[in-house]
Amino acid sequence: TNEPKLLMRILKNLLLISVCALSVGACGDSSKLPQQATEGSSPTIPQANSALLPTVKIAEATGWAAGQTPVAAQGLSVAAFAKDLVHPRWLYALPNGDVLVAETNAPADRPEDAKGVKGFFYKQAQKRAGAGTPSPDRITLLRDKDGDGVAETRSVLIDKLHSPFGMALIGDTLYVANTDSVVAFPYVEGATKIDQPGKKIAGLPAGPINHHWTKGLVASPDGTKLYASVGSNSNAAENGLNAEAGRAAIHEIDLATGKSRIYASGLRNPVDMAFEPQTNALWAVVNERDELGSDLAPDYLTSVKDGGFYGWPFSYWGQHVDKRVPANQEMVAKAVVPDYALGNHVAPLGVAFAKNNNLLPENLRNGAFIGEHGSWNRKPFAGYKVVFVPFNGGKPDGYPRDVLTGFVNEKDQAQGRPVGVTFDNAGALLVADDVGNTIWRVTPAAKSASR
């Protein structure tokens, strides 16, 4: 029979993939589109690249050398708000000026994720990219009491969590999105530690695969509901559709009744969410699918419609069919076209709309700031920066503008990788850097920002 030849071919392919994963960009195609063609409301959508081997180009995580910082755009300045954290991923500013940081990483209890030979090398590649740190499983509180833009004290507010990520304060209750549930803690203003155990409010899809483990969280403007983001359990449904129950979706949790429902679906990996201040519409940043080539598929920023279906896994950017997935013409026809493409493989994770007290220059006061974690499935690199998307009338208007760059050096090493973004109470932009283990603070260059 041909079975021995087939087995040898499979093993050879797996070996080639593993070599790519460990050699920082040895395999795959290169982008042929100019950057602006991949951004905005009408990005160019080329034919998919169906090559056997995926494009792999990984920026090896090194951290920052002493005295180095990201590069701030003209008119801006950047400095460390807090250093020497352990894989800081997410940020939340409290009303009294304290800043919460989720020091977190993927949970250890997901034995079915990334199995086999390919899975082994995938994990090695993740470690190379800086994602191999065991999860600290805590929320750390940072306090800048003297208002000089540097947190001089820190304390563990909550520990022994389960890969925590999103946070939201409503009244005197602090909600935290663990990888498998939303839990509530009593909060007293000024407290530096919460000793009481959390109360489970709602379960979230997790389990033995739990491929996209991060769970974002945002409160509705009236404080009656929470919205939790849940990524898919695969790249393109290769684990079967049964493994995707409740995933690739945003869940709405009614705090009065405790009931939850799927608010929107077909969002491959919706990480962060925010309410646009003029319209109060819910927006999200979404990581699209991989392994279709350097020029597909666009990651995006979009308003999220109640009941909307955004295509995953059957299609991307509206009705562009993913031929790797079993056909479903009915679902493809329903797919909502996202509002705004951010570029291919930029990996948008954090989003924060400019606030009224924004310290930054006038041209950065109406729009969304986005932390782009950076690509692994594209040549050349994409993302690895913080950008600003200008808005007009509650909608994106114009191309993204760089705010922080310089995270990848001339040796293709990642000195840092931006994740969560938020504003502190003085109106400065804060950026979590999970490779540099730093929280960066962005202010105007012309004058110091004091609290």
Side-chain angles (χ1 to χ4, degrees):
T1 69
N2 290 325
E3 288 182 5
K5 292 183 179 179
L6 178 60
L7 179 59
M8 290 301 297
R9 190 180 302 122
I10 291 172
L11 290 173
K12 181 180 178 180
N13 290 338
L14 288 172
L15 179 61
L16 286 170
I17 290 170
S18 69
V19 170
C20 292
L22 295 176
S23 60
V24 193
C27 299
D29 71 338
S30 295
S31 174
K32 297 176 177 60
L33 293 175
Q35 184 64 26
Q36 280 199 347
T38 72
E39 301 169 337
S41 59
S42 300
T44 300
I45 307 293
Q47 292 293 316
N49 185 333
S50 57
L52 176 64
L53 297 179
T55 299
V56 178
K57 184 173 175 63
I58 299 169
E60 180 184 6
T62 61
W64 298 94
Q68 288 187 316
T69 70
V71 178
Q74 185 175 3
L76 301 176
S77 178
V78 61
F81 179 70
K83 296 181 178 180
D84 301 320
L85 295 155
V86 182
H87 214 249
R89 298 274 285 176
W90 221 239
L91 298 170
Y92 190 82
L94 292 170
N96 72 334
D98 290 341
V99 175
L100 303 184
V101 182
E103 293 181 277
T104 188
N105 210 339
D109 55 343
R110 50 175 192 165
E112 298 298 315
D113 185 52
K115 295 191 301 180
V117 176
K118 184 177 180 181
F120 169 79
F121 286 104
Y122 170 79
K123 290 176 183 177
Q124 299 308 305
Q126 289 291 95
K127 289 179 181 179
R128 189 181 186 96
T133 307
S135 181
D137 285 347
R138 63 180 176 243
I139 304 295
T140 295
L141 182 144
L142 303 175
R143 180 169 291 170
D144 174 19
K145 191 173 182 179
D146 60 9
D148 65 351
V150 178
E152 64 273 2
T153 63
R154 69 181 69 179
S155 58
V156 176
L157 183 70
I158 312 170
D159 61 2
K160 299 179 181 177
L161 295 167
H162 190 198
S163 294
F165 202 74
M167 296 166 277
L169 179 68
I170 302 176
D172 58 1
T173 303
L174 178 65
Y175 297 92
V176 176
N178 282 319
T179 193
D180 57 357
S181 62
V182 176
V183 291
F185 295 89
Y187 169 76
V188 177
E189 185 173 308
T192 58
K193 187 171 181 60
I194 296 176
D195 292 316
Q196 297 185 46
K199 177 183 177 182
K200 182 177 177 179
I201 300 300
L204 297 173
I209 301 178
N210 204 12
H211 183 66
H212 289 118
W213 61 272
T214 59
K215 306 300 195 293
L217 195 68
V218 67
S220 63
D222 63 5
T224 63
K225 296 178 176 65
L226 291 171
Y227 294 86
S229 59
V230 181
S232 65
N233 237 351
S234 60
N235 175 41
E238 63 270 15
N239 292 322
L241 293 178
N242 289 339
E244 304 296 345
R247 303 194 71 112
I250 292 174
H251 294 233
E252 181 188 76
I253 303 165
D254 188 305
L255 293 175
T257 64
K259 294 181 179 180
S260 62
R261 68 181 180 104
I262 290 181
Y263 182 82
S265 61
L267 301 148
R268 178 179 173 269
N269 188 20
V271 183
D272 199 10
M273 303 159 289
F275 283 90
E276 198 281 322
Q278 292 186 23
T279 62
N280 274 344
L282 181 65
W283 286 69
V285 286
V286 180
N287 289 235
E288 252 295 354
R289 65 205 75 199
D290 296 318
E291 301 181 27
L292 291 176
S294 292
D295 286 326
L296 283 177
D299 295 332
Y300 57 87
L301 167 71
T302 191
S303 59
V304 184
K305 297 175 172 59
D306 189 353
F309 173 73
Y310 289 79
W312 191 90
F314 308 107
S315 64
Y316 50 89
W317 202 261
Q319 284 72 46
H320 292 86
V321 173
D322 190 335
K323 296 180 180 179
R324 300 171 299 179
V325 181
N328 191 322
Q329 294 180 352
E330 181 181 356
M331 295 303 293
V332 170
K334 294 180 181 179
V336 177
V337 178
D339 287 283
Y340 189 89
L342 293 164
N344 300 313
H345 307 293
V346 299
L349 299 187
V351 60
F353 283 102
K355 296 185 177 181
N356 291 334
N357 69 336
N358 183 354
L359 278 177
L360 303 186
E362 189 68 32
N363 66 342
L364 298 176
R365 293 188 180 178
N366 184 11
F369 294 84
I370 296 168
E372 297 181 349
H373 203 226
S375 61
W376 68 268
N377 186 216
R378 184 181 188 272
K379 291 195 293 186
F381 291 126
Y384 295 97
K385 60 184 177 180
V386 177
V387 301
F388 173 77
V389 176
F391 270 53
N392 184 16
K395 294 287 186 180
D397 182 25
Y399 289 105
R401 304 169 186 169
D402 289 349
V403 175
L404 281 186
T405 57
F407 288 89
V408 176
N409 64 21
E410 67 280 357
K411 297 179 181 179
D412 284 352
Q413 296 170 325
Q415 302 168 115
R417 298 184 78 180
V419 193
V421 292
T422 194
F423 283 91
D424 66 16
N425 284 15
L429 179 69
L430 299 178
V431 179
D433 174 354
D434 67 353
V435 163
N437 290 324
T438 300
I439 307 303
W440 300 106
R441 188 170 188 259
V442 182
T443 57
K447 58 182 180 180
S448 61
S450 59
R451 293 179 186 272

